[in-house]
Amino acid sequence: MVQAGKVEKYLVEKIRDEGAIHIPLIDPEKTSPENAADIGLTAEEAGSAAIMVGGSTVAAIPKLNNVIKRIKERVSIPIILFPNNLTGISPYADAIWFMSLLNSLNPYYIIGAQVLGASAVKEYGLEPIPMAYIIVGDGGAAGFIGQAQPIPYDKPEVAALYALAAQYLGMRFVYLEAGSGAVKPVPVKTVSLVRNMIDIPLIVGGGLRNAKDVEDRVCAGADIVVTGTVIEEALDVKESISLFVNAVRRGFQKRRGG
Ligand code: 1GP
């Protein structure tokens, strides 16, 4: 019987205890190892639950490895890989979102890359966390490269059906992705409809730029909120991450009717 690993258990417990959590995304193609470590440490101190490392066009594995090694030297919260392809796998992380882009039109992104990458995940001792990746709306680089047929912004019921199918297939997290830097994030209506359809944790990311974007989506039922671009572009990283961590807390209080 397959049991959830350490990082997965930690995330689930954290969601149970805190209601919802924030995770920053660091793109190793856009961030130096030093900056990545600074962001990681700042995130840990501000109350983020983990750090995700990845990007849609990651190709240079040594760069990825260096970023993760440097973060690891300074941070104790888990580092979770967010792979775009086989080039997104590093032995230095704690876990990997073992993800399938469910609404890709190319089977490579649904199961092909996973078949090719599985043995490396095992060999490296990475904890795989099964996750359904669903692209909504714009989709950005992830949608383009992953050859997704994005779910229209005004068809939340289709996203809900994908999410339910993912749960029935045994996936343990669902990620609604609008695409990094998307002009419009995943609509609140889509988040709430998906939340009502599934029992597994729901991740939302892509184009979340301000506290209200985050608060509204947590209030609608997101368990994990991911922000990348806005932190990369922030003049004050500490202020930016604290803003999102607090927005997650407020969003959950609102959801509970507080
Ligand atoms: C992208 O969902 C993540 O894969 C984060 O998106 O960079 O827009 O925050 P942003």
Side-chain angles (χ1 to χ4, degrees):
M1 178 72 179
V2 182
Q3 300 260 320
K6 220 168 101 184
V7 176
E8 184 176 344
K9 278 190 193 143
Y10 160 85
L11 292 176
V12 169
E13 275 165 25
K14 202 95 179 137
I15 292 167
R16 191 192 59 207
D17 297 345
E18 296 179 15
I21 55 180
H22 171 257
I23 301 184
L25 171 66
I26 295 175
D27 186 337
E29 303 246 276
K30 297 186 189 150
T31 318
S32 70
E34 283 65 32
N35 274 347
D38 286 344
I39 294 172
L41 188 63
T42 306
E44 179 169 74
E45 287 171 356
S48 300
I51 294 158
M52 276 164 49
V53 180
S56 299
T57 53
V58 172
I61 299 180
K63 215 189 239 177
L64 172 71
N65 288 341
N66 286 338
V67 161
I68 295 174
K69 279 198 265 183
R70 199 55 69 82
I71 302 172
K72 210 143 185 67
E73 280 166 15
R74 297 182 53 200
V75 168
S76 58
I77 51 176
I79 301 176
I80 308 172
L81 295 167
F82 185 45
N84 56 317
N85 206 331
L86 299 176
T87 45
I89 309 175
S90 165
Y92 301 103
D94 299 296
I96 180 166
W97 290 118
F98 203 84
M99 52 203 274
S100 172
L101 204 181
L102 291 189
N103 57 329
S104 177
L105 295 175
N106 183 343
Y108 178 79
Y109 294 102
I110 304 172
I111 185 60
Q114 296 76 356
V115 168
L116 294 172
S119 63
V121 169
K122 192 174 172 75
E123 185 132 333
Y124 295 161
L126 288 167
E127 176 187 329
I129 310 178
M131 181 255 270
Y133 195 46
I134 302 167
I135 307 255
V136 178
D138 175 323
F144 179 79
I145 291 173
Q147 296 170 39
Q149 177 169 254
I151 293 166
Y153 286 117
D154 61 349
K155 292 285 172 250
E157 64 277 13
V158 178
L161 293 175
Y162 265 97
L164 185 62
Q167 178 176 320
Y168 287 171
L169 282 167
M171 290 165 175
R172 298 203 285 262
F173 289 77
V174 164
Y175 194 133
L176 295 178
E177 171 71 89
S180 187
V183 178
K184 262 170 75 182
V186 176
V188 169
K189 179 95 193 288
T190 307
V191 176
S192 59
L193 223 71
V194 170
R195 173 71 285 156
N196 288 334
M197 190 66 109
I198 59 172
D199 309 299
I200 53 178
L202 175 59
I203 311 166
V204 176
L208 299 170
R209 286 170 198 282
N210 55 52
K212 187 165 170 20
D213 285 346
V214 168
E215 192 179 319
D216 289 351
R217 280 147 191 87
V218 171
C219 183
D223 300 294
I224 301 178
V225 166
V226 178
T227 58
T229 307
V230 78
I231 297 174
E232 273 160 25
E233 291 174 354
L235 297 176
D236 185 334
V237 171
K238 189 170 178 195
E239 190 184 84
S240 171
I241 297 180
S242 301
L243 191 86
F244 294 122
V245 169
N246 290 328
V248 167
R249 290 180 185 149
R250 270 199 315 279
F252 182 67
Q253 272 167 13
K254 255 198 194 166
R255 196 201 305 166
R256 278 200 326 196

